[in-house]
Amino acid sequence: MMWTDLLCHPLWAASTVLLALVLRQQRRARWDPRACAVQLKGKTAIVTGANTGIGKFIALDFARRGARVILACRSEARGSEALREIREKSGNGDVHLRLVDLASMESVRAFAKGVLEEEEALHILVNNAAVSGLPRSITKEGFDLTFATNHLGPFLLTNLLLDLLKRSAPARIVTLSSLNHWRGEIDFAHFHGDKLTYFMDKVYNHTKLHNVVCTNELARRLQGTGVTANSVHPGVVVTEVMRHYSFVLRFLFQTIGFFFFKSPDEGAVSSIYCAVAEETDGITGKYFDSDCSLTLPAPLARDAALAVKDFDVCERLTSKL
């Protein structure tokens, strides 16, 4: 049972306390980015959704290591504020903002075109941006808004940048998934908003499963190229991903999270670990838990035949746009 179910259950209070006690033990990862001496001078990194939460702390860490960092954000105002803050805190002026709306394949293509024209190399791509709790909404390209933002947009972006990543090898692709992928289902009708139940984080769960499935298949296809691809669970983190939920749920989550859940900087650790740690060099097609440990994903995410089909479907859908 996940936190969204607990908050709706008559016994949510007692259950939440028990859950919090478990999560409290997992709050700190076994790997500390502050103790990692890896430098990224001369390296280029892209972080989506870098204007807030986990993404901003990932970008800040890369900037502190000397990387050229591209903040891929939807909001110019919020992206500009994050840009100013990251430059100030890191002392790195080589941090840049580029706008992209991952829900729009047209916007993704324009963003990727700009990167390919202006950047000589790309060593790290972190697919961080995601939304949850949105009501039913179909994009002008015919996709469910949550699926477009969380999966199809990042999927297309990654594929458009693959040649640049290969030329820059060794390179790493890190995609943020979630423990919630265990509760997800694979139904290709979901991409277009069909057969979906828009309640709490149900649609989010499905997209997070697709993240792991397609990342695993991408890793298989990238064997021998020097480019690795892994997915990570950041933990239960207090971020703005809850902004589309009701005030009551947001209040409860924020209140409980203040004491027991991870902060955004703590939630960024597993992604940073996959992106820069020497220990993860060469590891690909794996799923990392919030404490930076390799762990098995859900059974569906280990189905190789399903992965090939899912990847091919996503390729066909996004190649037409």
Side-chain angles (χ1 to χ4, degrees):
M1 183 178 290
M2 301 302 292
W3 64 265
T4 48
D5 295 321
L6 296 174
L7 293 176
C8 293
H9 195 279
L11 300 177
W12 71 266
S15 301
T16 301
V17 170
L18 292 175
L19 176 64
L21 290 174
V22 174
L23 293 172
R24 194 176 196 180
Q25 301 303 315
Q26 301 176 347
R27 186 161 176 165
R28 290 284 181 182
R30 63 179 178 81
W31 183 80
D32 186 351
R34 295 169 298 182
C36 175
V38 172
Q39 293 297 302
L40 298 176
K41 189 70 175 178
K43 305 291 186 181
T44 300
I46 293 177
V47 182
T48 67
N51 61 285
T52 188
I54 294 172
K56 185 165 73 172
F57 280 98
I58 294 172
L60 176 59
D61 179 272
F62 293 168
R64 283 173 169 162
R65 296 178 192 276
R68 173 178 173 82
V69 185
I70 297 171
L71 314 180
C73 305
R74 184 172 62 87
S75 168
E76 183 171 10
R78 302 182 72 187
S80 297
E81 178 60 26
L83 175 66
R84 181 199 61 76
E85 182 180 340
I86 291 172
R87 282 180 173 176
E88 182 179 293
K89 288 185 175 180
S90 67
N92 183 348
D94 201 8
V95 182
H96 308 275
L97 172 66
R98 288 203 177 98
L99 300 180
V100 61
D101 180 358
L102 290 170
S104 165
M105 302 306 114
E106 180 182 1
S107 177
V108 170
R109 287 189 177 279
F111 174 87
K113 182 174 183 292
V115 170
L116 295 175
E117 290 175 348
E118 299 172 24
E119 301 300 327
E120 297 180 356
L122 177 60
H123 304 91
I124 301 172
L125 171 61
V126 179
N127 291 310
N128 160 75
V131 294
S132 180
L134 290 176
R136 176 179 170 82
S137 181
I138 304 299
T139 70
K140 69 176 185 179
E141 293 154 331
F143 299 129
D144 170 79
L145 181 58
T146 302
F147 262 90
T149 305
N150 292 6
H151 182 64
L152 291 173
F155 177 91
L156 176 60
L157 176 62
T158 301
N159 278 276
L160 292 173
L161 297 178
L162 277 184
D163 285 343
L164 182 58
L165 285 159
K166 291 176 184 177
R167 293 198 301 270
S168 310
R172 305 187 190 190
I173 300 167
V174 179
T175 298
L176 273 74
S177 179
S178 169
L179 182 65
N180 280 30
H181 84 272
W182 278 79
R183 304 171 70 215
E185 300 171 359
I186 300 288
D187 186 330
F188 300 126
H190 289 169
F191 290 129
H192 297 291
D194 299 326
K195 300 181 181 179
L196 282 173
T197 300
Y198 292 87
F199 177 73
M200 301 297 284
D201 54 5
K202 284 186 176 294
V203 181
Y204 173 84
N205 298 343
H206 302 326
T207 65
K208 294 293 102 177
L209 176 58
H210 281 279
N211 288 164
V212 182
V213 170
C214 285
T215 298
N216 290 348
E217 175 59 16
L218 175 63
R220 186 187 70 81
R221 298 185 185 205
L222 288 173
Q223 288 287 350
T225 66
V227 182
T228 61
N230 295 292
S231 50
V232 302
H233 167 50
V236 182
V237 185
V238 179
T239 69
E240 292 186 19
V241 75
M242 288 287 296
R243 62 185 176 273
H244 299 295
Y245 288 83
S246 69
F247 171 78
V248 173
L249 286 178
R250 283 186 283 115
F251 175 78
L252 289 172
F253 185 76
Q254 294 282 345
T255 301
I256 296 168
F258 179 79
F259 295 101
F260 301 115
F261 298 163
K262 289 190 175 188
S263 61
D265 60 322
E266 291 171 332
V269 171
S270 55
S271 298
I272 297 169
Y273 177 69
C274 287
V276 308
E278 294 178 341
E279 300 96 305
T280 55
D281 185 29
I283 295 177
T284 191
K286 303 299 181 183
Y287 174 75
F288 287 82
D289 207 344
S290 59
D291 66 350
C292 302
S293 297
L294 280 171
T295 187
L296 286 176
L300 280 175
R302 290 176 260 148
D303 186 328
L306 177 62
V308 172
K309 186 175 182 179
D310 193 5
F311 199 97
D312 287 344
V313 168
C314 293
E315 268 193 328
R316 288 199 301 272
L317 288 175
T318 56
S319 67
K320 297 177 181 178
L321 303 168

